[in-house]
Amino acid sequence: MDVEQFRQAGYAAIDRICDYYISLDAKPVSSSVQPGYLAPLLPTAPPDEGEDFATIAADYDRLIQPGLTHWQHPSFFAYFPTSSSFEGILGDLYATAVPNPGFNWSCSPACTELEAIVMDWSAQLLGLGSAFHNAAGVGGGALQTTASDSALIATVAARERFLAAAPVKLDDLVLYVTTQTHSLGLKAGRVLGLRVRALEVCHEDRYSLRGDVLRQALEEDKAAGRHPFMLIATVGSTSSGAVDNLPEIEAVLKEHTEVWLHVDAAWAGIALCCPEMRTALFLDTINAAADSFCTNFHKWGLVNFDASTLWVRDRKSLTSALDITPPFLRTAHGDAGTVTDYRNWHLALGRRFRALKVWFVLRGFGVEGFRKHIRQGIALNAMFGALLKESDILALITPPWLALTVFRLAPPHLGLDAAALNQLNAAFFARLAVRPDLAITQTVLNGVFCVRFAVGAARTTEAHVRAAFDAIVEEARAALVLWESIA
Amino acid sequence: MDVEQFRQAGYAAIDRICDYYISLDAKPVSSSVQPGYLAPLLPTAPPDEGEDFATIAADYDRLIQPGLTHWQHPSFFAYFPTSSSFEGILGDLYATAVPNPGFNWSCSPACTELEAIVMDWSAQLLGLGSAFHNAAGVGGGALQTTASDSALIATVAARERFLAAAPVKLDDLVLYVTTQTHSLGLKAGRVLGLRVRALEVCHEDRYSLRGDVLRQALEEDKAAGRHPFMLIATVGSTSSGAVDNLPEIEAVLKEHTEVWLHVDAAWAGIALCCPEMRTALFLDTINAAADSFCTNFHKWGLVNFDASTLWVRDRKSLTSALDITPPFLRTAHGDAGTVTDYRNWHLALGRRFRALKVWFVLRGFGVEGFRKHIRQGIALNAMFGALLKESDILALITPPWLALTVFRLAPPHLGLDAAALNQLNAAFFARLAVRPDLAITQTVLNGVFCVRFAVGAARTTEAHVRAAFDAIVEEARAALVLWESIA
């Protein structure tokens, strides 16, 4: 493909993206293809001769589009939002046009310098204090792929800090999470081969980790000769939006300063951009006590996947854990220590130029535009919660919070026991899961099968939320009718 | 930004990319900005109100472009090529327009299914046998970010396979690399907190690991109660393109079947697409004996960064090491085992839709177009090697091989000792490093300071290689004149 062919194919791609977003609302939210749909439609080997891009693009429309689930659809309420933006698309386009592996400052100075700056902009947007700012030169932040990646990096840094002070056996280390921590906690333990202890949380505390549970676990493990080295606390859990009690945790960890506190706010942390949310999200404690903090701009934060922001209080905790500098990677600036080489701030060597899309989004929306998007998500969720409270067959599991509502079908007139209620709700959810007009997902909270409703897509309006609620009520009634007919 | 504003900004971005590639040859290869250039040019915080994209795009030209080093420049001979393509740019553009985290098949079935297919296409392109094909259902492959990421994943799988058979202490495990293995080996050990042993290789063997060195190490470590669980062997090392002696390694590991063999061919593996290269790159042994194999299409393989292909002989070795399935990630298809959920084939949870750009590149170039690109790199490097052999002051360190030549300044008339020769070459390289008309990097091979010349950018021609050679000779002569003037 030469430059002029690229120009035509590029214009066509832009037009296709415009068409996509114009028609998005009318598409089914989820793909309805069956497993294995694609292989019979494609050759089993690449072609010998190159093909025209028009043919390839037509195949994209014909074969790939039907297999996509539309995470930007205004009626996508599953998992968490992936609220991308046109600014984010342009950022990825500009970046992929000048690809470079970005491992050293000298690979492309703009990549490293812009990343350091947008991380500071993001820190200010969220209210993170100067301890986490790159410009202050002590702590700092970098873009990672995902919150799992960020948590894994933090865990490596925490392990190395602990072992540097107390060289114990790896098999005696313990990583703390809670039973509501995202799978990133268990996965970090699995990847690193370390023991993980999931601390109990309960419904009465809204699934939030309390200080006394942590204190007791620390005392038990230490008495047994084990070494808890890190707690992954959560601000806004996946299942229910739970916020661990950071002030209580801070008080306990003051007596156990060797324990690294990582705060995973993958989804909810973005809401820190709104000053009115900062108390409930324990910003002061994060600023005072977190060793590391993560939130994902690619969830609720309008930046196209992937853009996970990870900050640490002490940048040396990363570089002393991760720095490997073979001769072929040495540079004059790196040797002089006058630049940041981001290869030592993450697990791999190469890294993409993700800073550009963050920069485009923060400038394109501005702080006020960004806040408006977050506040709209919170308002839409509150509206959904209000509709739900009026229902006589649906019940909230936890109060609507941020942009997430967890609920279930709970018909008082049937007098079902816990197991039967779970079965009824599984049947109810199965009906919701196959609807083409919305996407929604489930969870299990301490044995209780629930449905999660997560808003936050950039194009979602009150009408979409209301239509989703109506669909949910319709399926709830149908599930009840079927249940009673076979009871 | 609304759809029509995006259409205009998108067209402008495509035009900007066309202009960039049209003018690329005339630009300096490397950025000449100084550390800290960008911060004084930008505000210290994001703007309160959103800005017009035209302003943002103009700032990209004014502030970011000067800080870029152009890895696609035809005179970029540093590190390894990052040989992107217009097809790759379009693949990233299409993918970022429909962002989704891709962790489950059901996130967007097309993402998982196309990835499985392009991995099989790529396996066939490179000659990998059906043991590594997804379609065969036993082994298989997935796209990862980088070769470091791939090696780390393989190391986790290797560790878990070993521990499942022999539950020993983590502190007693040993990961084998060689002194010429890329930093990915040491970094995997660092990340996982495991002991790494770097086996010696020598100049006489062209820095290739021999079987007897491996055998002796295994016997020593086992006698000392340690447990070697993995060898990261290299096909095409970073410093010199060395290829470990896989047939000898295979013979040794037949007596140590618990040792996982990962073959890292991050750069050189792409050359397996040419049948005439397969014997020298030990394809038969890879097919017969490797537990995992990695090469990066984002290096020499025309796919825009990032696209690292990792294959394993036994997919269960990945999934049993990495599967975490909390309730909120369960799906009907996943529970039924009828689909692949790629979250269990890598370290994080979410993943980008990278398969699209690989598909676009393989279709756009075809097998023959792809081979032509690789053969062109090999031919250009051979031409550079031939020029170098005629020089009376430059000397090859290893024979030109694939698309890499390692050489140094070695003036016979001065009679310098090893230390002086290193100093002379460091001075010579320092002159090359600041030239605006080419980019080139250095290495140290068993104490010998060398210069690396790596071709492979899509736009490099004979004229660029010849100009680079002339520049190298010019700086070599200047370095010699200066050396003799102060001797």
Side-chain angles (χ1 to χ4, degrees), chain A residues 148-450:
Chain A
S148 296
D149 192 25
S150 292
L152 181 55
I153 293 164
T155 307
V156 171
R159 184 197 65 203
E160 291 308 297
R161 188 181 79 174
F162 188 93
L163 293 176
V168 303
K169 295 280 187 195
L170 291 172
D171 296 275
D172 295 331
L173 294 174
V174 191
L175 167 63
Y176 281 1
V177 300
T178 82
T179 54
Q180 285 299 311
T181 304
H182 185 274
S183 60
L184 58 78
L186 289 174
K187 191 141 181 182
R190 186 73 77 90
V191 167
L192 299 177
L194 300 179
R195 187 191 302 253
V196 180
R197 177 168 177 177
L199 307 180
E200 291 293 334
V201 294
C202 65
H203 180 77
E204 293 64 37
D205 292 327
R206 292 182 60 182
Y207 307 101
S208 153
L209 177 64
R210 301 299 301 267
D212 49 3
V213 174
L214 173 62
R215 179 179 290 107
Q216 191 184 332
L218 286 164
E219 288 168 1
E220 282 170 10
D221 275 316
K222 288 187 176 182
R226 290 183 292 265
H227 302 282
F229 71 101
M230 183 186 205
L231 166 66
I232 299 180
T234 305
V235 168
S237 70
T238 304
S239 279
S240 70
V243 178
D244 288 335
N245 195 317
L246 292 186
E248 291 185 5
I249 290 168
E250 180 190 16
V252 173
L253 293 186
K254 276 193 175 145
E255 299 155 32
H256 303 270
T257 54
E258 75 284 6
V259 177
W260 179 294
L261 175 61
H262 177 67
V263 176
D264 171 54
W267 158 62
I270 291 295
L272 287 167
C273 73
C274 301
E276 68 274 20
M277 301 307 301
R278 290 176 179 172
T279 302
L281 296 170
F282 295 132
L283 176 64
D284 287 349
T285 313
I286 293 166
N287 276 327
D291 291 293
S292 51
F293 174 80
C294 167
T295 191
N296 289 345
F297 276 72
H298 62 244
K299 284 197 166 75
W300 200 3
L302 295 165
V303 180
N304 291 45
F305 189 82
D306 51 358
S308 178
T309 47
L310 171 67
W311 286 275
V312 292
R313 188 173 296 279
D314 176 8
R315 61 176 67 188
K316 285 207 177 65
S317 65
L318 288 183
T319 54
S320 49
L322 296 169
D323 185 5
I324 306 271
T325 305
F328 59 82
L329 292 181
R330 290 182 62 180
T331 64
H333 288 302
D335 289 352
T338 53
V339 297
T340 297
D341 288 335
Y342 271 132
R343 72 173 190 280
N344 302 323
W345 294 51
H346 75 154
L347 301 180
L349 176 61
R351 57 209 323 277
R352 289 166 54 246
F353 188 14
R354 298 187 194 92
L356 206 53
K357 59 188 172 186
V358 179
W359 194 47
F360 284 5
V361 167
L362 293 181
R363 291 189 63 175
F365 283 80
V367 172
E368 288 308 320
F370 198 91
R371 285 177 178 159
K372 187 178 164 194
H373 163 70
I374 298 300
R375 286 172 180 147
Q376 179 182 335
I378 294 173
L380 289 174
N381 183 55
M383 190 192 99
F384 180 81
L387 290 170
L388 209 129
K389 278 179 196 157
E390 289 169 22
S391 165
D392 53 354
I393 51 172
L394 298 171
L396 290 169
I397 299 297
T398 56
W401 162 237
L402 295 170
L404 177 66
T405 297
V406 185
F407 65 98
R408 68 186 323 209
L409 180 49
H413 64 286
L414 289 185
L416 299 177
D417 65 12
L421 261 176
N422 271 358
Q423 292 202 335
L424 171 61
N425 272 279
F428 164 49
F429 175 73
R431 302 183 68 91
L432 285 171
V434 296
R435 281 190 73 112
D437 56 344
L438 83 168
I440 195 163
T441 46
Q442 84 290 3
T443 194
V444 177
L445 277 169
N446 287 17
V448 174
F449 189 104
C450 320

Side-chain angles (χ1 to χ4, degrees), chain A residues 190, chain B residues 157 312 314-324 340-346:
Chain A
R190 186 73 77 90
Chain B
V312 294
D314 176 8
R315 61 177 66 188
K316 285 207 177 65
S317 65
L318 288 183
T319 54
S320 49
L322 296 168
D323 185 5
I324 306 270
T340 298
D341 288 334
Y342 271 131
R343 73 174 189 279
N344 302 322
W345 293 52
H346 76 152

Side-chain angles (χ1 to χ4, degrees), chain B residues 342-376:
Chain B
Y342 271 131
R343 73 174 189 279
N344 302 322
W345 293 52
H346 76 152
L347 300 180
L349 177 61
R351 54 209 325 275
R352 288 166 55 246
F353 188 14
R354 299 186 194 92
L356 205 54
K357 58 188 172 185
V358 179
W359 194 49
F360 284 4
V361 167
L362 293 181
R363 291 189 63 176
F365 283 81
V367 172
E368 288 308 319
F370 198 91
R371 285 177 177 159
K372 186 178 165 195
H373 164 69
I374 298 300
R375 286 172 179 147
Q376 178 181 335

Side-chain angles (χ1 to χ4, degrees), chain B residues 20-315:
Chain B
Y20 177 83
Y21 282 99
I22 289 168
S23 63
L24 186 54
D25 208 347
K27 292 185 200 289
V29 183
S30 299
S31 172
S32 60
V33 299
Q34 292 302 303
Y37 89 99
L38 188 57
L41 305 174
L42 288 178
T44 55
D48 282 337
E49 303 296 331
E51 300 176 75
D52 277 349
F53 195 74
T55 309
I56 301 170
D59 277 356
Y60 173 84
D61 287 344
R62 189 171 60 91
L63 305 176
I64 304 303
Q65 280 266 11
L68 295 177
T69 284
H70 306 295
W71 287 63
Q72 286 70 49
H73 197 293
S75 295
F76 185 91
F77 303 108
Y79 303 108
F80 278 128
T82 303
S83 60
S84 72
S85 60
F86 288 132
E87 288 81 355
I89 293 174
L90 291 165
D92 263 342
L93 174 56
Y94 275 70
T96 191
V98 292
N100 79 85
F103 47 82
N104 279 349
W105 177 87
S106 69
C107 276
S108 246
C111 302
T112 296
E113 300 217 357
L114 189 64
E115 183 161 337
I117 290 165
V118 298
M119 288 300 298
D120 281 3
W121 283 21
S122 301
Q124 290 182 73
L125 176 73
L126 303 178
L128 294 177
S130 61
F132 293 111
H133 293 194
N134 288 305
V138 181
L143 288 162
Q144 312 293 352
T145 63
T146 60
S148 295
D149 192 26
S150 292
L152 181 54
I153 293 164
T155 308
V156 172
R159 184 197 65 204
E160 291 308 296
R161 187 181 79 173
F162 187 93
L163 292 177
V168 304
K169 295 279 186 197
L170 291 172
D171 297 273
D172 295 331
L173 294 174
V174 191
L175 167 63
Y176 281 2
V177 300
T178 82
T179 54
Q180 286 300 309
T181 304
H182 185 273
S183 61
L184 58 77
L186 289 175
K187 191 142 182 181
R190 186 72 76 90
V191 168
L192 300 177
L194 300 179
R195 187 192 301 254
V196 180
R197 178 168 176 176
L199 308 179
E200 290 293 334
V201 294
C202 66
H203 180 77
E204 293 64 37
D205 291 325
R206 293 183 58 184
Y207 307 100
S208 154
L209 176 64
R210 301 299 301 268
D212 51 2
V213 174
L214 173 63
R215 180 180 287 108
Q216 192 184 330
L218 286 165
E219 288 168 0
E220 281 171 10
D221 275 315
K222 288 187 177 184
R226 291 184 291 266
H227 302 283
F229 70 100
M230 182 186 205
L231 166 66
I232 299 180
T234 305
V235 167
S237 70
T238 304
S239 279
S240 70
V243 178
D244 288 335
N245 194 316
L246 292 187
E248 291 185 5
I249 290 168
E250 179 190 16
V252 173
L253 292 187
K254 276 193 176 145
E255 299 155 32
H256 302 271
T257 54
E258 76 285 5
V259 178
W260 179 294
L261 175 61
H262 177 68
V263 175
D264 171 54
W267 159 63
I270 290 294
L272 287 167
C273 74
C274 301
E276 69 273 21
M277 301 307 302
R278 291 177 177 170
T279 303
L281 296 170
F282 295 131
L283 176 64
D284 287 349
T285 313
I286 292 167
N287 276 326
D291 291 293
S292 52
F293 174 81
C294 167
T295 190
N296 289 344
F297 276 72
H298 63 243
K299 283 198 165 75
W300 200 2
L302 295 164
V303 179
N304 291 44
F305 188 82
D306 50 359
S308 178
T309 46
L310 171 66
W311 286 274
V312 294
R313 188 173 297 278
D314 176 8
R315 61 177 66 188

Side-chain angles (χ1 to χ4, degrees), chain B residues 459-480:
Chain B
R459 286 168 181 75
T460 304
T461 65
E462 282 193 15
H464 296 104
V465 172
R466 211 171 285 275
F469 182 77
D470 291 345
I472 288 166
V473 169
E474 182 185 323
E475 298 304 342
R477 293 213 173 106
L480 274 180

